[in-house]
Amino acid sequence: MQRTIAPKRRRAAGRFWREYGWAYLFILAPVLLFLVFTLYPVISALIMSFQQYNIMQSTWVGLDNYERLFKDDTFWKSVWNTVVFTVCTVPVNIILTFVLAHFIYQMKTKWQTFFKATMYLPAVASGVTISIVWLAIFDPTDVGLLNRFLGLFGLDPVIWLGQSKTALFSLILMNWLGSHGAGIILYLASMGGIPKSLYEAADIDHASGWTRFRAITWPLLKPTTLYLLVTGVITSFQVFISVYMMTQGGPNFATTTIAYLIYQTAFKFYEFGLASAQSFVLAFLIILVSVIQFKYFSSDVEY
Amino acid sequence: MALVEFRQVRKEFIDRNKQPFTAVAGSDFVIQDKEFVVFVGPSGCGKTTSLRMIAGLERQTSGDIIIGDRIVNDLHPKDRDIAMVFQDYALYPHMTIRENLSFGLRNLKKPKEYIEQKVREASAILGLEKMLERKPRELSGGQRQRVALGRAIVRDPQVFLFDEPLSNLDAKLRIQMRVELSELHKRLGATIVYVTHDQVEAMTLGERIVVMNQGVIQQIASPTELYANPKNMFVAGFIGSPPMNFINARVEQGRIVVDGGSFGLPENIAERLSAYSGKEVVLGIRPEDIYGEDFAPGVSTEHRLQAHIQVVEHLGSENLIYFHVGGRMVTAKVHPETKGYTGLAKEFILDLRKCHFFDPATQERITGK
């Protein structure tokens, strides 16, 4: 009996590998990358967040890092800064993106292509380069671009990044005027997907321009808006490059965001355990906010 | 309700090569109050453009459009007092059926009780009462179609416009909706302009039919008139299923000669064809006016034609027999007891009293039965 089953099994296994072997081989590469560069660091960080981490020897400290974290004023300040930054940038960016997309959508195809490309261009520049340009714009002396502009109206130069009351706002302003290209392209694609007959039906149904927008365009673009909202919030919660390049979290922690604090804790103070705990709190916050957004803004619209 | 009139209405578009393209070439017609008129024709014939011009969704290049007693050339769609049912229904996907139905009335700022009453009435007529709180995606194609109709009904417009509303439904549902539309027309007593490319739909629904081709109105007539007396080869070939057969023929000394036979003509027809003596004509005969020689009850068997059968289709109530005459495929719709199989050389009998003759150059009809 065994003699007959064993070759059968071998044949089946051989056939399986002949049919699916390549497929598994192709899947293997990304899976390995994910395991090594994503899953392993996440699990290590989780373990690390319960340790007093040292390269030579780590000690298990339980929830000490989390306790320290929640008692730390700087951490709460960074949470506050991150929330302010997010609340001030994401909705404004979505509105700006929508308005720009709306105007571009009215244009002829060749102009649409031109503006799509132009608006998307900043997305291919590195955050570091953009930050350097903005450093010149925010230059506190009267040769700074923004200050020179204010000077045209007889206003005194402002130390944009060097004082607590304007530093975070400066970063927010920079974000407002940053890249809206990806959002514009998404909105344009969604706008193009709304059937023209809906607007024609609305025209016959006595809808005004505002009603058309409020009752058709906006609700039908809700899935795109939700996507931009969720990704926008996630990106804002992780804001780092502009802070690192322009203010180093200062002055007086006025621009210290959670992501920057994590960097500082880990690579300036070498407190990897504490930094890991901060990272997990940030991850938890992002998940929490995303779930809330999906719950309250999700739309199952089909057209 | 109101009449709809086109006076020399022309519509030109600019095509991709920036050349003007005439979609509708100077149409003239009057649709009477409470009349159900169907525009029919192949794709690109200008029927939908005509409907969209009535709706105000397209502006005519020249000419006047009249609805009721007003010239509506420059009126916005909402000011034309019309309602339209779109091919894709154009239901607002994020609104409930109740919201879809009431959208127009809400925009008109009608009182709540009035809107409620109109929605109730329309949903009762169309059997939508139980689905008012559902979204369009939760409904079947036929139900969506009814909602689109309901949205038109609640507004009590002067004119209803239908743009191929049944084309997305399956064959069975289409027949059912055709009946419902006819009943609805009687019930509402409304002026209806209906566009379709399906001639069966046109014949069953329309009190009058406007046949269009390449932007030009070919004929406006009742379904029976169109079928019996088509003005030209296009109308003759478009109306009727299977379509009318066209056989190349020649008039010679009071006889008509076709490939496979020659027939003496009845005196009245021979007289009308006298100008074509010695010339080519096209003989048009409907499939049901051709009989197999073995089953032609009550038909004069004098006009016979010999042909080899190409294909026989058995449809149960009738057989369709296909054969070639003078290089053209001819279809005969015969009694199921008529014998025939592929390759059989068979004699067919033509009921020449019901045939038509067309000028091959102008394609216009030169004589009738």
Side-chain angles (χ1 to χ4, degrees):
Chain A
M1 196 72 182
Q2 271 181 336
R3 272 182 195 171
T4 53
I5 288 172
K8 258 189 187 174
R9 276 187 186 159
R10 270 205 298 277
R11 272 205 301 277
R15 198 166 58 238
F16 179 83
W17 282 111
R18 268 198 305 281
E19 280 182 26
Y20 301 109
W22 279 106
Y24 280 99
L25 203 65
F26 280 118
I27 294 169
L28 190 66
V31 168
L32 271 179
L33 289 172
F34 171 77
L35 290 175
V36 175
F37 293 106
T38 306
L39 195 62
Y40 170 72
V42 167
I43 293 170
S44 301
L46 183 65
I47 295 166
M48 216 185 277
S49 74
F50 298 109
Q51 290 176 329
Q52 179 71 49
Y53 184 81
N54 190 302
I55 294 171
M56 302 306 287
Q57 196 187 358
S58 299
T59 21
W60 188 264
V61 293
L63 290 170
D64 276 8
N65 285 329
Y66 289 94
E67 207 182 319
R68 268 179 72 196
L69 182 66
F70 291 123
K71 283 180 182 165
D72 181 7
D73 289 344
T74 314
F75 174 73
W76 288 113
K77 175 76 178 159
S78 74
V79 171
W80 172 249
N81 286 341
T82 308
V83 170
V84 169
F85 182 84
T86 304
V87 169
C88 291
T89 55
V90 177
V92 175
N93 282 341
I94 287 177
I95 292 167
L96 271 174
T97 305
F98 179 83
V99 171
L100 286 168
H102 180 74
F103 283 117
I104 294 171
Y105 189 66
Q106 320 289 326
M107 295 174 181
K108 287 187 174 167
T109 316
K110 63 177 179 182
W111 285 111
Q112 277 194 21
T113 312
F114 170 76
F115 278 106
K116 271 193 249 182
T118 312
M119 293 291 178
Y120 197 77
L121 219 54
V124 296
S126 88
V128 176
T129 318
I130 291 172
S131 298
I132 290 169
V133 172
W134 276 95
L135 275 173
I137 294 171
F138 286 132
D139 191 306
T141 63
D142 50 10
V143 295
L145 227 70
L146 202 52
N147 280 341
R148 207 184 286 182
F149 178 72
L150 291 182
L152 294 175
F153 301 97
L155 297 169
D156 292 333
V158 177
I159 308 166
W160 293 102
L161 301 169
Q163 53 181 349
S164 299
K165 58 182 179 183
T166 53
L168 189 60
F169 169 74
S170 303
L171 296 183
I172 290 167
L173 180 69
M174 171 185 163
N175 194 279
W176 284 344
L177 301 176
S179 172
H180 300 288
I184 286 172
I185 284 167
L186 280 174
Y187 264 135
L188 283 174
S190 300
M191 284 173 180
I194 299 176
K196 207 177 148 210
S197 60
L198 290 184
Y199 291 110
E200 291 179 341
D203 275 346
I204 291 170
D205 272 341
H206 292 81
S208 62
W210 169 244
T211 309
R212 279 162 56 114
F213 170 76
R214 180 185 52 79
I216 297 172
T217 311
W218 186 248
L220 293 185
L221 292 179
K222 226 171 134 188
T224 311
T225 307
L226 175 67
Y227 174 78
L228 291 177
L229 188 67
V230 172
T231 53
V233 166
I234 291 172
T235 314
S236 286
F237 263 73
Q238 296 173 340
V239 60
F240 174 75
I241 294 177
S242 55
V243 178
Y244 176 78
M245 287 296 297
M246 298 172 73
T247 60
Q248 300 272 311
N252 194 23
F253 302 106
T255 57
T256 300
T257 58
I258 307 178
Y260 186 76
L261 185 71
I262 293 168
Y263 161 78
Q264 249 188 343
T265 313
F267 300 106
K268 273 196 177 163
F269 308 121
Y270 301 107
E271 297 229 39
F272 289 103
L274 184 60
S276 297
Q278 288 167 342
S279 303
F280 275 91
V281 172
L282 174 62
F284 175 76
L285 278 177
I286 289 174
I287 292 167
L288 184 73
V289 172
S290 301
V291 168
I292 292 169
Q293 285 170 332
F294 271 107
K295 191 168 164 55
Y296 290 101
F297 297 104
S298 70
S299 153
D300 47 4
V301 67
E302 249 178 51
Y303 51 91
Chain B
M1 301 299 159
L3 61 77
V4 177
E5 187 177 352
F6 265 37
R7 287 185 192 156
Q8 273 302 302
V9 173
R10 187 177 178 80
K11 176 69 185 173
E12 283 180 2
F13 290 106
I14 303 296
D15 68 13
R16 281 185 181 183
N17 303 321
K18 303 202 171 170
Q19 296 299 313
F21 161 78
T22 305
V24 176
S27 283
D28 274 302
F29 60 79
V30 180
I31 297 167
Q32 298 299 338
D33 184 23
K34 298 180 183 176
E35 197 179 14
F36 196 137
V37 169
V38 180
F39 280 66
V40 71
S43 297
C45 71
K47 56 189 189 298
T48 296
T49 307
S50 299
L51 191 82
R52 290 172 62 82
M53 286 193 287
I54 299 173
L57 299 172
E58 301 281 357
R59 173 67 162 91
Q60 69 272 28
T61 311
S62 62
D64 291 325
I65 298 174
I66 293 139
I67 298 177
D69 49 8
R70 295 182 303 169
I71 293 182
V72 296
N73 294 350
D74 298 309
L75 286 187
H76 190 271
K78 70 181 166 64
D79 301 320
R80 295 188 179 206
D81 201 7
I82 46 109
M84 185 157 166
V85 177
F86 291 82
Q87 186 174 2
D88 62 356
Y89 317 135
L91 300 180
Y92 310 117
H94 53 293
M95 295 185 197
T96 62
I97 302 310
R98 184 188 296 282
E99 288 165 342
N100 264 284
L101 292 176
S102 62
F103 186 66
L105 296 176
R106 281 186 282 135
N107 290 333
L108 283 166
K109 307 257 184 291
K110 296 281 183 192
K112 258 189 179 173
E113 300 74 36
Y114 175 81
I115 295 175
E116 221 7 80
Q117 187 201 334
K118 296 302 282 183
V119 169
R120 219 174 20 244
E121 280 172 14
S123 50
I125 290 172
L126 298 162
L128 295 168
E129 299 104 317
K130 288 181 181 164
M131 46 196 86
L132 286 175
E133 303 314 322
R134 291 197 212 161
K135 297 266 179 77
R137 69 168 183 282
E138 296 167 66
L139 305 188
S140 67
Q143 289 168 333
R144 286 181 203 189
Q145 175 56 252
R146 286 201 186 92
V147 178
L149 282 173
R151 197 169 58 181
I153 291 172
V154 290
R155 296 241 324 276
D156 281 336
Q158 288 200 71
V159 181
F160 286 89
L161 306 174
F162 291 79
D163 183 12
E164 308 211 27
L166 307 186
S167 58
N168 290 339
L169 303 181
D170 63 49
K172 202 175 161 190
L173 201 53
R174 212 179 299 162
I175 293 168
Q176 187 191 327
M177 287 304 293
R178 267 197 332 237
V179 176
E180 287 186 21
L181 277 174
S182 283
E183 281 173 358
L184 194 68
H185 174 234
K186 283 183 199 128
R187 189 169 183 161
L188 298 173
T191 308
I192 295 180
V193 187
Y194 189 104
V195 161
T196 180
H197 64 270
D198 180 349
Q199 54 97 15
V200 177
E201 223 168 277
M203 295 289 278
T204 50
L205 284 171
E207 289 170 337
R208 278 196 304 155
I209 297 172
V210 180
V211 184
M212 291 190 78
N213 187 33
Q214 295 182 335
V216 179
I217 293 179
Q218 304 291 318
Q219 191 171 0
I220 306 176
S222 68
T224 44
E225 174 69 10
L226 273 184
Y227 194 77
N229 294 312
K231 204 175 152 234
N232 55 34
M233 281 177 74
F234 177 80
V235 178
F238 195 80
I239 301 293
S241 177
M244 183 183 279
N245 296 298
F246 296 115
I247 302 170
N248 294 329
R250 193 174 175 81
V251 184
E252 279 175 11
Q253 293 164 346
R255 291 183 73 78
I256 192 91
V257 181
V258 300
D259 188 17
S262 85
F263 328 108
L265 287 169
E267 206 169 290
N268 61 332
I269 298 179
E271 207 174 285
R272 287 193 203 171
L273 283 177
S274 58
Y276 286 82
S277 187
K279 290 182 185 167
E280 300 287 328
V281 291
V282 174
L283 186 158
I285 185 159
R286 295 218 177 263
E288 61 269 29
D289 297 328
I290 303 176
Y291 300 83
E293 49 85 24
D294 55 333
F295 203 97
V299 183
S300 156
T301 55
E302 119 191 50
H303 306 119
R304 288 165 172 267
L305 191 72
Q306 176 122 30
H308 281 87
I309 295 176
Q310 299 280 317
V311 178
V312 180
E313 288 176 352
H314 301 277
L315 304 181
S317 61
E318 68 222 10
N319 287 354
L320 295 179
I321 298 182
Y322 298 89
F323 54 92
H324 277 110
V325 178
R328 288 198 195 228
M329 180 69 92
V330 171
T331 312
K333 191 153 100 181
V334 298
H335 193 274
E337 286 178 31
T338 307
K339 287 185 187 123
Y341 51 85
T342 304
L344 176 71
K346 191 177 174 72
E347 284 219 312
F348 290 93
I349 291 159
L350 275 57
D351 187 352
L352 280 197
R353 290 171 305 157
K354 294 182 182 170
C355 75
H356 306 275
F357 290 95
F358 299 93
D359 184 319
T362 63
Q363 306 220 325
E364 294 291 306
R365 185 161 60 102
I366 44 182
T367 187
K369 57 184 175 183

